[in-house]
Amino acid sequence: MKKNVIIIGAAGRDFHNFNTFFRNNPNYNVVAFTAEQIPGIDGRPYPKELAGDLYPNGIPIYKESELPELIKKFNVDDCVFAYSDKTYNYVMGVSALVNAAGANFILMGPKDTMIKSTKPVIAVGATRTGCGKSQTSRKIIEYLVDMGLKVVAVRHPMPYDPDLNKQRVQRFATVEDLKKHNCTIEEMEEYEPHVVTKRNVIYAGVDYEAILREAEKDPDGCDIVLWDGGNNDFSFYTPDLFVGVADPLRPGAEVSYYPGEVVARMADVIVINKIDSASLENINQVRANLAKINPKAQVIDAASVLTVDKPELIKGKRVLVVEDGPTLTHGEMQIGAGTVAAMKYGAAEMVDPRPYIVGSLKETFATYPTIGTLLPAMGYGEAQMKDLEQTIANTPCDVVVVGTPIDLPRFVNIKQPVVKIGYELQEIGTPTLEDVLDEFVKKHNLKK
């Protein structure tokens, strides 16, 4: 007899778990997805074209708040929790809700969800959102490209388009491709740094086996697939080298957040990032936690080095700091690259945007009250981008300091002067990522 299943997610891991384990599995009937974390993704179906022959009508997506009623309505046997960067207390709270409604609570692991590639795979994950995965990925790509290798990056999913069929497999090689695929701010923050440097292409989408097979035969060539993880999730692909990133600005997260501890325990190499801005006490706490749960991992120390295009505009001015959205929201960071730059270069005041926020940003600040005096670069759709634009215009400041990895003024009209902040990974001491990668390349006979 088939088991009825609800997959609890946020338009990423949930779709992947369905595609890899449930889609063609006659033993299960997925009756619904639920959605959380990302605004506007409920109320649409997971389309029949992606759901497969067992689901000729597709699968509905509901708000997670409806979960107890859905369990009873659909006589649900199993609920699969499939999104990331949540405390253990939160995860087990959902488990209690599910169990109280009569269903089993399930966390799926690598055996049933990872896909094997025909190419060597390097995976990059983290213990929290905002640790520096993407800058670590870029550094790895830089080293490998300098060795003469072709690297194709695959990014953890962010399928926010109302028509998921359009996002089944996406390839980004130019800035124009970002426009073609109608990318949100959150998507561009991850894709743009890859395509602007023209060192590699990057794939994303919904169907990650189809994405992998396209990446392996990319027209520009592919020697290595690099998995660039999202939030603190573990890889969708079986890694030959797993690099984890930990953040001593949030010590203890590596043993208290799901699935960040999975990343920390699985990693072959762990980068302790931001040691230039963290306290020695916090750095040592992270070291001790990692040594306890994964003593075999190689540990690399690193700093997140800022680049500032117009530092002279900051000194003595009232600045509005705009930071990476997910890092401030479910990443719960209260400081980012823009904030560090504003303090370093002598801003007179960091203007609080909260009295001036409009539209959906009011809900964002209500949901994440710890954001404080920063403005998250929220842009999960055109309407939210307009809310961001209006909020910036409303805020009485001399300068806007943009701490996101994208050229924000390209698609959000900002009337005030803009200072753009970048950040790159810099290893400190030995071993370095280059040392690790040199051994990896030799092991897989990839040296050109």
Side-chain angles (χ1 to χ4, degrees):
M1 186 175 177
K2 284 187 176 184
K3 285 190 172 184
N4 290 331
V5 176
I6 290 176
I7 304 179
I8 307 167
R13 162 65 70 175
D14 49 347
F15 296 163
H16 176 70
N17 284 1
F18 171 79
N19 292 337
T20 53
F21 185 80
F22 293 103
R23 179 161 53 190
N24 299 310
N25 193 328
N27 298 315
Y28 297 91
N29 177 36
V30 176
V31 296
F33 291 96
T34 63
E36 188 56 47
Q37 281 187 329
I38 311 301
I41 59 173
D42 53 276
R44 59 177 178 171
Y46 191 70
K48 61 182 181 181
E49 294 86 354
L50 293 171
D53 294 340
L54 297 179
Y55 300 90
N57 298 316
I59 302 169
I61 304 173
Y62 299 91
K63 292 181 180 179
E64 188 179 305
S65 58
E66 301 176 48
L67 187 56
E69 291 77 20
L70 294 171
I71 290 171
K72 293 173 183 176
K73 176 181 177 180
F74 292 114
N75 191 26
V76 169
D77 300 291
D78 297 338
C79 288
V80 177
F81 187 89
Y83 62 101
S84 50
D85 214 1
K86 306 306 296 184
T87 64
Y88 289 156
N89 187 58
Y90 179 98
V91 175
M92 294 315 296
V94 178
S95 175
L97 181 150
V98 167
N99 289 162
N104 301 317
F105 183 77
I106 294 173
L107 299 172
M108 296 183 71
K111 183 177 180 181
D112 286 328
T113 63
M114 280 187 177
I115 302 167
K116 180 67 177 172
S117 177
T118 61
K119 303 286 185 178
V121 173
I122 298 173
V124 180
T127 58
R128 289 297 311 275
T129 303
C131 285
K133 292 181 306 295
S134 294
Q135 57 184 282
T136 303
S137 295
R138 294 196 300 271
K139 192 72 170 181
I140 290 171
I141 290 168
E142 180 183 322
Y143 283 135
L144 293 172
V145 170
D146 287 345
M147 293 178 191
L149 297 166
K150 295 283 188 179
V151 184
V152 176
V154 181
R155 168 68 193 181
H156 188 280
M158 293 184 285
Y160 305 140
D161 195 294
D163 184 357
L164 291 174
N165 285 312
K166 293 179 182 178
Q167 294 190 272
R168 180 174 178 266
V169 177
Q170 297 173 300
R171 180 182 187 268
F172 302 94
T174 67
V175 172
E176 287 69 33
D177 290 333
L178 303 176
K179 297 177 184 177
K180 181 177 77 174
H181 290 290
N182 195 29
C183 288
T184 64
I185 288 177
E186 284 66 27
E187 290 168 302
M188 284 186 278
E189 284 176 338
E190 302 303 334
Y191 308 154
E192 186 170 308
H194 290 272
V195 301
V196 167
T197 62
K198 300 187 183 302
R199 298 183 74 89
N200 66 287
V201 299
I202 183 164
Y203 283 77
V206 179
D207 191 332
Y208 273 78
E209 179 150 14
I211 289 167
L212 179 60
R213 302 312 167 207
E214 290 298 315
E216 291 166 342
K217 60 181 183 182
D218 186 79
D220 291 342
C222 176
D223 297 310
I224 294 173
V225 172
L226 184 134
W227 172 260
D228 186 357
N231 286 8
N232 62 350
D233 204 353
F234 52 90
S235 176
F236 288 9
Y237 301 150
T238 304
D240 299 288
L241 176 67
F242 198 162
V243 179
V245 187
D247 184 355
L249 294 179
R250 290 168 289 177
E254 58 281 349
V255 290
S256 60
Y257 273 75
Y258 178 81
E261 186 174 343
V262 179
V263 173
R265 287 179 177 273
M266 289 183 70
D268 304 299
V269 177
I270 298 177
V271 176
I272 302 179
N273 195 15
K274 307 180 188 178
I275 67 170
D276 54 326
S277 51
S279 70
L280 181 61
E281 179 184 1
N282 287 355
I283 294 167
N284 286 339
Q285 181 182 342
V286 171
R287 286 195 200 284
N289 288 339
L290 294 173
K292 183 177 181 180
I293 64 174
N294 189 357
K296 294 181 180 179
Q298 280 189 282
V299 176
I300 295 175
D301 291 342
S304 186
V305 179
L306 297 182
T307 60
V308 184
D309 67 345
K310 300 171 186 174
E312 69 278 2
L313 296 184
I314 297 176
K315 188 173 179 60
K317 299 296 176 61
R318 297 173 304 152
V319 303
L320 171 63
V321 179
V322 182
E323 301 279 21
D324 168 67
T327 299
L328 297 185
T329 55
H330 41 275
E332 300 172 315
M333 281 285 286
Q334 295 176 303
I335 184 172
T339 308
V340 172
M343 293 188 294
K344 179 178 180 179
Y345 290 98
E349 177 189 355
M350 285 191 286
V351 179
D352 188 345
R354 286 174 289 189
Y356 312 102
I357 56 177
V358 299
S360 61
L361 286 173
K362 292 182 179 181
E363 183 179 343
T364 299
F365 276 84
T367 304
Y368 302 99
T370 60
I371 291 172
T373 60
L374 305 175
L375 182 62
M378 303 296 285
Y380 287 107
E382 186 175 343
Q384 200 167 50
M385 289 186 196
K386 289 296 182 184
D387 292 340
L388 177 65
E389 182 176 281
Q390 188 60 53
T391 298
I392 294 172
N394 291 351
T395 305
C397 62
D398 303 313
V399 177
V400 177
V401 176
V402 177
T404 72
I406 55 170
D407 182 14
L408 192 64
R410 196 176 72 244
F411 48 90
V412 172
N413 182 29
I414 301 177
K415 297 177 181 178
Q416 304 96 320
V418 173
V419 178
K420 179 73 173 69
I421 312 301
Y423 37 92
E424 298 297 332
L425 190 82
Q426 178 180 301
E427 301 103 308
I428 297 172
T430 57
T432 66
L433 283 170
E434 188 173 20
D435 297 331
V436 172
L437 294 170
D438 192 55
E439 287 299 315
F440 178 82
V441 166
K442 289 176 182 176
K443 178 181 177 181
H444 291 274
N445 297 313
L446 294 169
K447 201 73 173 180
K448 296 292 184 180

